[in-house]
Amino acid sequence: MPSISPLPAPVRVFIAGGSYAGLSAAMNLLDLASGASPRMSGETYPHVTDFEKMDVEITIADERDGFYHLIGSPLALADSDYTKKAWVKFQDIPSLQRPDVKIVIGSVTTVDCASKTVTTIDAVTKVATEHRYDFFVAASGLRRVWPVVPQSLSRKQYLVEAAEHIHAVSNAQHGVVVVGGGAVGIEMAAELKLVHPRIDVTLAHSRAKLLSAEALSDECKDTALALLRESGVNVLMNHRLSKSNRVDTMDGSTKYELEFANGHKMAASDVIMAVSQPASTATYMPTTALDENNMVKIKPNLTIVEGTPNDEYHFCAGDAAKWSGIKRCGGAMHGGHYVARNIHQTILRDRVPGGHEIKYSELTEFPAVIGLAVGKKAVASSPDTGTVSGEDVMQAYFRNDLGFDICWEYMQLGGKKETLVEA
């Protein structure tokens, strides 16, 4: 590798996605570039003498105009006060207000790994722009349908969209039926009942166990069912929805007649479909980096697998990465942290005269672990701890806002008192 020049050009890092993985990668890399240890590390980072500080320019592109707390959706679509908290415009996030961070509100369309260029389409003007980079991070996650997540791309539109939904469910005189007993359906039903206790809420699931798609213990699944029923939600197991037809009413109220495959019939004012197959957003990556489901194939150090030009300068973290375990915001932030460390290590390898022995941080296989908010309580399960539940578990995993403050504080988006290494 060539020796470093006296005034090397800033390292350009392009991050597709401004959610948990993308923001984690950006925040931790800014720490490292300033000579500090990454904010998510529990130990001191071994900086190289005379290379403690370096110039980086980070560009974050996202279709939304802000950070949306995805795991807060069940509450954001039930409680109008929380709705406002769950989406923070990028311009209102203190840690991003710095000259070495640029935000692009738009979608990533193509990534040319050979030339290290990425094309974005502006969300408003629809104008295409080409950006050059030294490192690329795919952190745009999965595309989820309504009402699992809001479909709005601006905070202003999101507030309207959420308000309309909340108005509908809070005035559901014939009750609300949530279809799907996965994590999203469970939390949606429980939060709706918690916020609007006078509304009849039913969750219908096609299988004999909740969370049937996840490799979790029966104890965890049974505990989730018990907590859901304890919260006041009516739960129908082995009920596969076959028909849902809107019918006329004498008083003009909204009403649907539902019929299940087992012959059971019931009425509801609103039917919330919490059954969907999220799709990868990483179709902008070359096909050599993707599997048959457009998930990004990565190595343990989070670089894309060999077979694509400049693979060691292209990373993926978060839900779009093909890796084991249940997709969780904690895993996404952890991956973003490791991406930042490994980008920094690669920069040192390329720039330190005489070379640098690279020390990658590597992911291990993620077991099936989960934390699930169910009304006023939560259930958590992992192979190490088994299944635990209760109000104390809710406080530990979610506090009183489905984890917004925990994630905000962990990424230190409100600002950071940095302890810098003296130059």
Side-chain angles (χ1 to χ4, degrees), residues 288-418:
T288 50
L290 303 173
D291 73 357
E292 64 277 8
N293 296 314
N294 293 320
M295 302 294 285
V296 181
K297 297 180 290 185
I298 62 169
K299 294 183 284 188
N301 66 4
L302 293 106
T303 58
I304 62 176
V305 297
E306 290 91 347
T308 300
N310 294 311
D311 55 271
E312 60 187 334
Y313 297 95
H314 293 80
F315 294 77
C316 179
D319 287 1
K322 185 178 182 181
W323 200 254
S324 59
I326 297 171
K327 302 298 185 183
R328 301 177 302 115
C329 68
M333 291 186 289
H334 177 65
H337 170 206
Y338 275 15
V339 164
R341 296 174 72 104
N342 293 342
I343 287 176
H344 191 258
Q345 284 289 307
T346 305
I347 296 170
L348 291 174
R349 182 201 65 186
D350 292 352
R351 289 194 167 189
V352 173
H356 167 74
E357 183 180 352
I358 200 163
K359 297 177 181 178
Y360 281 134
S361 297
E362 296 190 340
L363 295 179
T364 56
E365 292 296 315
F366 289 167
V369 300
I370 196 169
L372 193 65
V374 190
K376 294 182 179 180
K377 298 180 180 180
V379 56
S381 181
S382 73
D384 294 334
T385 63
T387 297
V388 293
S389 64
E391 293 186 9
D392 57 331
V393 178
M394 172 66 90
Q395 284 300 310
Y397 279 75
F398 299 100
R399 297 185 193 169
N400 63 352
D401 61 0
L402 283 190
F404 180 94
D405 286 348
I406 292 174
C407 293
W408 183 272
E409 292 165 10
Y410 189 46
M411 291 188 283
Q412 298 180 37
L413 297 179
K416 179 177 186 290
K417 295 181 180 179
E418 298 180 26

Side-chain angles (χ1 to χ4, degrees), residues 24-41 45 47 52-54 56 58 95 98 100 337 340 344 410-412 416-421:
S24 171
M27 296 296 97
N28 284 286
L29 184 56
L30 289 170
D31 291 340
L32 289 165
S34 72
S37 294
R39 63 192 62 193
M40 292 183 183
S41 176
Y45 184 83
H47 281 281
E52 293 90 352
K53 298 182 182 181
M54 58 183 65
V56 297
I58 295 177
S95 285
R98 43 189 297 163
D100 47 3
H337 170 206
H344 191 258
Y410 189 46
M411 291 188 283
Q412 298 180 37
K416 179 177 186 290
K417 295 181 180 179
E418 298 180 26
T419 302
L420 302 181
V421 177

Side-chain angles (χ1 to χ4, degrees), residues 115-252:
S115 64
K116 290 188 177 181
T117 57
V118 55
T119 302
T120 59
I121 301 293
D122 187 271
V124 177
T125 66
K126 307 303 179 185
V127 172
T129 303
E130 188 177 270
H131 312 260
R132 295 191 175 276
Y133 61 84
D134 299 301
F135 292 88
F136 180 85
V137 183
S140 51
L142 303 178
R143 194 173 302 285
R144 297 171 170 88
V145 299
W146 172 263
V148 176
V149 297
Q151 300 301 292
S152 301
L153 300 180
S154 72
R155 186 175 188 273
K156 183 177 180 180
Q157 292 173 330
Y158 149 76
L159 292 175
V160 174
E161 181 184 17
E164 291 176 347
H165 177 78
I166 292 171
H167 176 76
V169 296
S170 62
N171 291 279
Q173 68 181 71
H174 306 291
V176 176
V177 173
V178 178
V179 179
V184 172
I186 293 169
E187 291 192 333
M188 276 193 155
E191 293 298 331
L192 184 56
K193 187 63 180 179
L194 181 65
V195 178
H196 305 285
R198 65 179 183 83
I199 300 299
D200 290 330
V201 179
T202 299
L203 182 138
H205 187 54
S206 61
R207 304 295 182 89
K209 296 279 187 182
L210 297 179
L211 301 165
S212 52
E214 307 297 353
L216 297 163
S217 68
D218 284 347
E219 182 185 7
C220 175
K221 297 174 181 181
D222 293 342
T223 301
L225 175 59
L227 292 183
L228 192 57
R229 285 176 168 157
E230 181 184 320
S231 71
V233 175
N234 178 36
V235 184
L236 302 176
M237 304 302 296
N238 292 306
H239 276 62
R240 182 180 298 277
L241 183 65
S242 56
K243 295 179 183 178
S244 175
N245 298 313
R246 183 165 181 170
V247 296
D248 294 331
T249 57
M250 295 295 291
D251 59 3

